Amino acid sequence: MRIDPRPALPVTADKTAGVQALQPAAHRQGARFEAVLSKREVAARRSLRSDVEQSSNAAGISAELFGSTRSLEILEYVLDSVLPALDAEPEIKALAHELISEEIDMRRTLEQQRAEVQA
């Protein structure tokens, strides 16, 4: 057994002050915080509602964008300009060329049939 020769800690009669308990936040502050949160929720809902209303508004969209003439132009552009520059295997390019060509032919046939029916 070993005895430690350190002197004992001095004993004082003075006590350190006790830790004070935390006081709860004032009720008024809690109400203010809740009000700020609810304002944010309302603003977020309004923002989402306006986004939905704008997305459902189709007044600015022209039907010509989805017409067969425009889609044929796009398909031909893809076939003539995009597909040759595509970095893909030759079989994949050939398959894409065949599919796009078939789609173009089918759309032209449909256009001819519509023209015959309307005439």
Side-chain angles (χ1 to χ4, degrees):
M1 180 157 124
R2 189 170 184 198
I3 297 176
D4 194 10
R6 282 190 244 157
L9 294 174
V11 179
T12 60
D14 298 336
K15 287 188 171 182
T16 58
V19 177
Q20 294 181 0
L22 292 175
Q23 299 297 322
H27 179 67
R28 197 175 77 193
Q29 288 175 335
R32 236 184 318 182
F33 181 72
E34 292 296 327
V36 168
L37 284 181
S38 66
K39 283 181 184 178
R40 284 187 177 178
E41 289 174 3
V42 168
R45 273 190 249 121
R46 284 182 184 159
S47 175
L48 289 174
R49 191 175 302 130
S50 68
D51 289 348
V52 169
E53 288 172 359
Q54 287 178 355
S55 67
S56 64
N57 186 7
I61 299 175
S62 171
E64 294 172 354
L65 290 175
F66 302 104
S68 61
T69 305
R70 179 69 178 147
S71 62
L72 278 173
E73 289 174 359
I74 293 171
L75 287 170
E76 288 171 351
Y77 171 77
V78 169
L79 190 65
D80 297 335
S81 301
V82 176
L83 194 58
L86 198 63
D87 184 26
E89 295 178 15
E91 296 103 19
I92 293 174
K93 282 184 171 182
L95 180 62
H97 189 279
E98 184 180 333
L99 289 173
I100 294 171
S101 297
E102 284 180 15
E103 183 67 22
I104 290 172
D105 292 340
M106 187 182 335
R107 287 176 185 256
R108 285 184 179 151
T109 304
L110 285 172
E111 276 300 309
Q112 287 175 351
Q113 290 175 355
R114 280 189 202 140
E116 290 171 2
V117 169
Q118 290 177 354

